[in-house]
Amino acid sequence: GQNIDQPTEMTATEGAIVQINCTYQTSGFNGLFWYQQHAGEAPTFLSYNVLDGLEEKGRFSSFLSRSKGYSYLLLKELQMKDSASYLCAVCDSNYQLIWGAGTKLIIKP
Amino acid sequence: GAVVSQHPSWVICKSGTSVKIECRSLDFQATTMFWYRQFPKQSLMLMATSNEGSKATYEQGVEKDKFLINHASLTLSTLTVTSAHPEDSSFYICSARPTSGTGCEQYFGPGTRLTVT
């Protein structure tokens, strides 16, 4: 079966760094996405990794290891507005997005 | 670019009535659109995949006769919740896959909050 695992909830302090992990087992792989979702809103695109390595985009970075079925989203210089759910999704061989349950990130001052 | 709109953004209806939600890709063509449902504090659940000019593909457990999907053009898909009941109250989100894209990317609409009384 297809499976995406990520922690249910994480807490971090404003100004700090947090890493949200995602492991996956899917039928085929055509890339991994990270989305941010604030409560009551639709997901917004953060990053897309299809090759191994680190992609940096401002305060957010995303890493992929295809051999390990592993990715992480790294958030630096945390701000209160970063409090949200972070969704990991893998594009499978049918170009369908398989979604993780999301990680709720709580930022404390 | 890559903007997707949904209408209405929220709707309240009485039990037993039907509600239509529209999803439009404003600046690109989308052969495929997706409909998701999200209950409070839960993750996105794919309901169905909508393909322009053909029948939608429904996920297991989703009643196709209750959730009618029409994808009549490359920029518009509609979801009709028929004979709505309070348990259908949820956040409905559509996404659109650009016809000319890589095949994986999806752009999300802002969502429609449905409340059935």
Side-chain angles (χ1 to χ4, degrees), chain B residues 3-116:
Chain B
V3 178
V4 177
S5 70
Q6 268 184 255
H7 179 79
S9 55
W10 60 270
V11 58
I12 302 173
C13 71
K14 291 187 176 181
S15 187
T17 61
S18 296
V19 174
K20 181 187 283 189
I21 303 170
E22 292 186 349
C23 177
R24 293 182 186 273
S25 55
L26 299 184
D27 51 4
F28 64 96
Q29 293 185 330
T31 307
T32 303
M33 292 185 176
F34 303 87
W35 287 97
Y36 295 87
R37 180 169 53 180
Q38 187 174 36
F39 293 105
K41 299 184 179 180
Q42 294 187 23
S43 188
L44 292 172
M45 295 297 296
L46 179 66
M47 298 176 66
T49 301
S50 167
N51 293 298
E52 187 266 338
S54 64
K55 290 184 179 180
T57 303
Y58 290 82
E59 295 300 301
Q60 194 171 8
V62 178
E63 301 173 56
K64 61 180 181 180
D65 294 329
K66 180 173 180 60
F67 298 99
L68 301 179
I69 291 173
N70 184 276
H71 193 154
S73 79
L74 288 172
T75 59
L76 173 65
S77 176
T78 61
L79 168 69
T80 302
V81 183
T82 62
S83 188
H85 290 285
E87 56 265 31
D88 298 323
S89 297
S90 188
F91 192 44
Y92 291 85
I93 308 171
C94 75
S95 69
R97 173 190 291 166
T99 303
S100 59
T102 62
C104 291
E105 56 194 313
Q106 295 182 24
Y107 296 95
F108 285 85
T112 297
R113 186 160 304 282
L114 170 64
T115 303
V116 185

Side-chain angles (χ1 to χ4, degrees), chain A residues 12-46:
Chain A
T13 305
E14 189 177 16
I17 299 173
V18 70
Q19 176 175 310
I20 303 174
N21 296 324
C22 171
T23 58
Y24 63 90
Q25 288 179 308
T26 57
S27 53
F29 181 83
N30 281 302
L32 185 145
F33 292 81
W34 283 96
Y35 285 85
Q36 180 190 61
Q37 186 179 26
H38 285 100
E41 299 179 11
T44 55
F45 169 81
L46 289 178

Side-chain angles (χ1 to χ4, degrees), chain A residues 24-81:
Chain A
Y24 63 90
Q25 288 179 308
T26 57
S27 53
F29 181 83
N30 281 302
L32 185 145
F33 292 81
W34 283 96
Y35 285 85
Q36 180 190 61
Q37 186 179 26
H38 285 100
E41 299 179 11
T44 55
F45 169 81
L46 289 178
S47 67
Y48 172 60
N49 294 65
V50 66
L51 299 177
D52 289 351
L54 187 68
E55 295 275 345
E56 296 185 78
K57 191 185 293 185
R59 293 189 299 116
F60 293 4
S61 302
S62 56
F63 171 84
L64 174 68
S65 169
R66 288 172 296 172
S67 62
K68 296 181 179 178
Y70 168 70
S71 172
Y72 67 73
L73 180 69
L74 191 71
L75 292 76
K76 302 177 183 177
E77 301 170 17
L78 287 170
Q79 302 175 8
M80 297 302 293
K81 67 178 182 180

